[in-house]
Amino acid sequence: MSRTLSRRSALRLGGAAALVLPAWARAAKAEGPRLVTVSGAITEMVFALGAESMLVGSDTTSVWPEAALKTPKVGYMRQLSSEGLLSLRPSTVIATHEAGPPLVFDQLRAVGVRVDLVQADHSFDEVLRKLRAVADATGRHEARGRVEARLLAEWQATQQRVAAAAAQKKPRVLFVLAPSAGGTASVSGLNTAANAMVGFAGATNCLTSFDGYRPMTAEAVIAAAPDVVVATRQGIDGGGGEARFWERPGLLLTPAGKKRALVTLETLYLLGFGPRLPQAVLELHERVAAAAA
């Protein structure tokens, strides 16, 4: 019943907002596309295509390049509001299917805003889908061809570099999603961006008995016996730094803990699956290999 009522509320909002839709349409025709991006990686694609003049807003995961920080923010990608988005008068909103809640996108569509949700499956094809979605929304098809060719070349070169080290023993990696100080850390199983990145980098996720993220326990960490721990730089810094991180239960009793083998990268760079993916994979590969040596 609550879902039905929510749908009806969305339609009522759409009916009311439709009164001002002609003004939006006139503005869009005069000004060109007004784009809001809900994904740091999608925002990066806008800049990669040279279409940042069309960007009127982005979500709080959009932190790179530095100019992205100056765009009006619509909140966290999973906690959007239609009011915040509509206040920017977008003609198009591009997000991944992980964004929401879904009702917000229903409300946007009801008043004529184009909503493009890109499937996020932690693959290189996801990167290309984001590129194509932005190119379609901005009309930057010639630029898209150049960027796509560069990405394909970089990805092939990265895969070759990683494959050249495949004959060596693959390091066992534990990915830890460390929250702010005092919070419970989580570890990555299968079907996560972290798991995909570990595999792309030529290493092995040492936790494969579950999907997604689970709270980190000392028993599971010790049993996993990672050679290297990977975490986001923001997570480590927010938790009090590396010294505090190694105090988490069980870590010092692992091969990684005994060597303090920790690799950290910036969150969006490591997990965003944007135009910097080839560089991120190569850097992760090289740093994990060095830490495991």
Side-chain angles (χ1 to χ4, degrees), residues 49 57 67 88 121 125 134 167 187 204 217 250 268 273 288:
L49 290 174
L88 299 175
D121 58 6
D125 282 344
V134 174
V187 290
T204 300
T217 65
L268 180 59
F273 281 74
V288 166

Side-chain angles (χ1 to χ4, degrees), residues 30-117:
E31 302 171 15
R34 293 179 59 85
L35 188 64
V36 172
T37 50
V38 184
S39 158
I42 293 174
T43 303
E44 285 191 50
M45 288 299 184
V46 174
F47 284 87
L49 290 174
E52 57 268 25
S53 64
M54 304 177 192
L55 187 65
V56 298
S58 64
D59 73 316
T60 55
T61 70
S62 299
V63 296
W64 197 91
E66 186 175 351
L69 292 169
K70 300 176 183 178
T71 58
K73 297 302 178 185
V74 297
Y76 178 56
M77 62 184 295
R78 291 187 173 89
Q79 298 173 341
L80 302 172
S81 74
S82 55
E83 291 82 2
L85 287 160
L86 291 174
S87 70
L88 299 175
R89 298 186 300 116
S91 60
T92 301
V93 174
I94 307 179
T96 70
H97 81 282
E98 299 165 317
L103 175 61
V104 168
F105 296 126
D106 292 340
Q107 292 170 336
L108 294 178
R109 294 185 185 100
V111 297
V113 177
R114 172 181 170 181
V115 176
D116 193 346
L117 299 181

Side-chain angles (χ1 to χ4, degrees), residues 258-282:
K258 293 172 183 177
K259 297 190 300 180
R260 303 297 197 277
L262 174 65
V263 172
T264 64
L265 292 170
E266 189 269 330
T267 304
L268 180 59
Y269 180 57
L270 177 62
L271 303 177
F273 281 74
R276 294 180 291 165
L277 177 67
Q279 297 98 306
V281 167
L282 184 57

Side-chain angles (χ1 to χ4, degrees), residues 239-261:
E242 290 191 22
R244 290 288 300 277
F245 175 77
W246 288 114
E247 293 174 1
R248 292 185 179 273
L251 283 177
L252 288 178
L253 299 178
T254 66
K258 293 172 183 177
K259 297 190 300 180
R260 303 297 197 277

Side-chain angles (χ1 to χ4, degrees), residues 119-129 155 196 200 273 277:
Q119 182 70 20
D121 58 6
H122 317 312
S123 67
F124 180 68
D125 282 344
E126 175 186 333
V127 178
L128 299 182
R129 286 195 292 270
W155 186 241
F200 287 149
F273 281 74
L277 177 67

